[in-house]
Amino acid sequence: MKGLVCLLLLLETFVCVVQHQVDGGLNENEISQQLRSEDGRQNPPQTDTLRDEASTDSQQNYHLFFTDIHAALRELTATVTEQKANIRELTATVTEQKVNIRELTATVTEQKTINRELTATVTEQKTNIRELTATVTEQKVNIREEMNKKNDEISNLTLSQVELRKENRDREIAFSAGLIQSGDGYIGPFTSEITLTYRNVFTNIGNAYNPITGVFTAPLKGAYMFRISVFGHGPTHAAASIYKNGERVVTAFAHQPQNELNSSNGVVLILEVGDVVYVRLWPNTRIFDNDNNHSTFSGFLLFPLREQELCRM
């Protein structure tokens, strides 16, 4: 009975030692020493009488249990030691992971800052694009309105021109004539101006030029182009002028002591219906012509004019 009590006390001590070992307590030598101390307390020196009372079997069982407990304790101590090593490695790993997490957190924070800055930049760019788009849209509207206005003006002008052409499609006017119809010779000099008659007619569309009188009569109100050329020999001057309704407009004049003389001139005139244009030779001058047609008189209608167009001029 006494041996059983000792065994129970020893097991209780073992449990306490193991608990202390798990909590980071003693090593194997310290555990063995504590067990021996506990054994001494549970088995103090006995008197000869008490030892005699203990049975031989109980002592043998006690020693057997004690040996098994020491073996189990050593195994448990080795396991705990191994677990402590594992725990230290795990702690080191966790510490390293914490460092990595802190670095990753710092990186994520930095990326968030960069993303916020990029978002602000993109927002600003979107605002600029919207403003630019609005400006472009406004410019397109302005251009469209301007183009429509120009198209309307062109359409109106085209319609006016078409109407004018319809009104005057049978009134094309142009003429050109040389001074001498055949042979060669001089005209002049005379003591006073004379009207030249250009008898060698090359063109007379509309029959507005009269080769007998040398006078062009405007059959249509409009803008006309007229041109003359004179040719002569020095030392006599060569000079002639274009007249409109009895008024001199432009002159072709040439002079030198000898050899050939030539000059030309032209003018655009606004004529009413019935206005006359002709060429007059200056006094004391002469001009020459032959089959080469050096001296000519030409004119043609540039475009007809309406009454309101003449008022604007």
Side-chain angles (χ1 to χ4, degrees), residues 1-7 10 39 43-44 46-67:
M1 184 68 181
K2 186 177 181 180
L4 181 59
V5 172
C6 292
L7 179 59
L10 186 58
D39 182 58
N43 297 284
Q46 300 177 354
T47 61
D48 292 339
T49 303
L50 292 174
R51 281 195 299 270
D52 290 339
E53 293 177 357
S55 65
T56 304
D57 292 338
S58 298
Q59 290 177 359
Q60 289 177 352
N61 290 332
Y62 169 77
H63 287 298
L64 288 173
F65 278 111
F66 187 79
T67 301

Side-chain angles (χ1 to χ4, degrees), residues 128-286:
N128 294 336
I129 290 172
R130 282 194 295 271
E131 293 176 354
L132 183 61
T133 301
T135 302
V136 171
T137 302
E138 182 180 359
Q139 292 297 323
K140 285 182 177 179
V141 171
N142 294 337
I143 291 172
R144 194 177 300 114
E145 291 177 354
E146 189 67 24
M147 289 298 294
N148 291 336
K149 183 178 178 181
K150 292 294 184 183
N151 289 335
D152 291 341
E153 293 177 355
I154 292 172
S155 298
N156 293 334
L157 181 61
T158 302
L159 289 174
S160 298
Q161 291 176 341
V162 169
E163 292 175 359
L164 195 58
R165 288 195 186 105
K166 286 180 179 179
E167 292 175 0
N168 302 286
R169 59 176 174 263
D170 296 329
R171 307 300 297 273
E172 288 83 1
I173 301 166
F175 76 96
S176 184
L179 188 60
I180 295 179
Q181 191 169 16
S182 62
D184 57 57
Y186 289 99
I187 303 297
F190 302 102
T191 57
S192 61
E193 285 188 341
I194 65 166
T195 300
L196 295 174
T197 55
Y198 294 83
R199 299 183 180 278
N200 187 16
V201 177
F202 309 123
T203 304
N204 194 12
I205 300 173
N207 294 317
Y209 172 70
N210 188 339
I212 298 175
T213 62
V215 176
F216 172 85
T217 303
L220 182 69
K221 178 171 55 182
Y224 292 82
M225 174 69 190
F226 296 94
R227 189 169 189 82
I228 59 172
S229 62
V230 297
F231 182 84
H233 297 90
T236 305
H237 300 357
S241 298
I242 295 176
Y243 277 75
K244 171 189 172 183
N245 296 334
E247 295 182 0
R248 180 183 293 140
V249 182
V250 295
T251 298
F253 177 86
H255 169 68
Q256 63 180 16
Q258 57 185 1
N259 299 326
E260 292 84 359
L261 307 174
N262 62 77
S263 179
S264 63
N265 207 342
V267 65
V268 174
L269 297 176
I270 304 300
L271 302 181
E272 294 283 350
V273 176
D275 286 346
V276 293
V277 177
Y278 47 90
V279 179
R280 304 200 75 182
L281 182 69
W282 281 25
N284 303 315
T285 65
R286 67 180 181 179

Side-chain angles (χ1 to χ4, degrees), residues 275-302:
D275 286 346
V276 293
V277 177
Y278 47 90
V279 179
R280 304 200 75 182
L281 182 69
W282 281 25
N284 303 315
T285 65
R286 67 180 181 179
I287 57 177
F288 176 83
D289 202 6
N290 58 19
D291 293 337
N292 293 320
N293 300 304
H294 299 288
S295 299
T296 59
F297 177 35
S298 303
F300 57 90
L301 174 66
L302 291 173

